[in-house]
Amino acid sequence: EEDAKTKVENLKAKGNEHFKRGEYREAINCYTSALEIDPKNAVLLSNRAFANFKIVRLIILYNRLENSLPYL
């Protein structure tokens, strides 16, 4: 069985791959699982925060686009 450090690194790498593909929710899930093992890991906290930011940004952009459609 993997030790805790290896498991955290594997979850982080998996989260990074999801992030690169724009799969932000899946990335967040990976980072969150890793944080359950290593809750003070600053890199994981930062990565999860940035993935959340990307989701919020996409929602804002979608809303702007949706609001501009009547003017096209």
Side-chain angles (χ1 to χ4, degrees), residues 1-20:
E1 185 176 314
E2 304 178 285
D3 66 349
K5 184 176 179 180
T6 302
K7 190 165 187 171
V8 166
E9 286 302 315
N10 289 340
L11 285 165
K12 182 179 113 179
K14 191 174 177 184
N16 291 345
E17 287 302 314
H18 283 300
F19 188 92
K20 288 176 191 173

Side-chain angles (χ1 to χ4, degrees), residues 40-54:
K40 294 182 180 180
N41 187 311
V43 172
L44 293 171
L45 290 166
S46 176
N47 288 2
R48 186 174 67 176
F50 195 52
N52 274 300
F53 168 77
K54 293 289 248 180

Side-chain angles (χ1 to χ4, degrees), residues 20-36:
K20 288 176 191 173
R21 291 192 297 265
E23 300 165 348
Y24 303 119
R25 291 188 196 280
E26 292 85 351
I28 290 166
N29 290 338
C30 289
Y31 299 140
T32 299
S33 293
L35 282 163
E36 290 172 2

